[in-house]
Amino acid sequence: MSSENTGEWSEALRATPQIQEITNKVKPQLEEKVHKEYTVFEAVIYRQLKLCGETHYLIKVSVRKMPDECVHLYVVQALTHVLLEPELIKYQLNKTIDDPLEPF
């Protein structure tokens, strides 16, 4: 199901290189907010919602391999006449790979 201007989140999809690039761009924003540096920061899955010239992303990010600890990111990227840098809006810490990626 397409989420193009429907106001509905897409299904969970495997992270792509584009999603990893967005994740890399917001990593410093998260590290500043939580006062912690992450050596592992790998996008696993994502969902997206397109609304009014913005794309909203929910991204599950693996931050440690064993045991697998994840964070969930809520990121917004606006599109005006140019694509603006993604902004970390909110986040959830201490998630696992099995936690569902739901809007928060």
Side-chain angles (χ1 to χ4, degrees), residues 44-81:
V44 179
I45 60 171
Y46 75 101
R47 296 176 70 183
Q48 69 180 21
L49 168 69
K50 294 188 179 188
L51 281 176
C52 304
E54 293 182 333
T55 303
H56 297 243
Y57 296 97
L58 295 174
I59 307 171
K60 179 180 289 194
V61 180
S62 175
V63 295
R64 189 167 41 164
K65 292 298 182 188
M66 295 302 283
D68 198 1
E69 181 183 337
C70 295
V71 297
H72 291 180
L73 307 179
Y74 188 117
V75 177
V76 174
Q77 189 165 31
L79 176 61
T80 57
H81 63 286

Side-chain angles (χ1 to χ4, degrees), residues 6-73:
T6 64
E8 295 179 17
W9 287 97
S10 71
E11 62 188 53
L13 304 167
R14 185 178 306 269
T16 64
Q18 176 192 8
I19 297 301
Q20 184 63 53
E21 183 179 334
I22 291 167
T23 301
N24 293 344
K25 288 181 179 179
V26 299
K27 179 183 178 205
Q29 295 173 43
L30 179 65
E31 290 177 335
E32 182 177 329
K33 290 175 188 286
V34 300
H35 308 290
K36 179 179 179 178
E37 289 187 16
Y38 293 99
T39 56
V40 174
F41 209 72
E42 179 182 335
V44 179
I45 60 171
Y46 75 101
R47 296 176 70 183
Q48 69 180 21
L49 168 69
K50 294 188 179 188
L51 281 176
C52 304
E54 293 182 333
T55 303
H56 297 243
Y57 296 97
L58 295 174
I59 307 171
K60 179 180 289 194
V61 180
S62 175
V63 295
R64 189 167 41 164
K65 292 298 182 188
M66 295 302 283
D68 198 1
E69 181 183 337
C70 295
V71 297
H72 291 180
L73 307 179

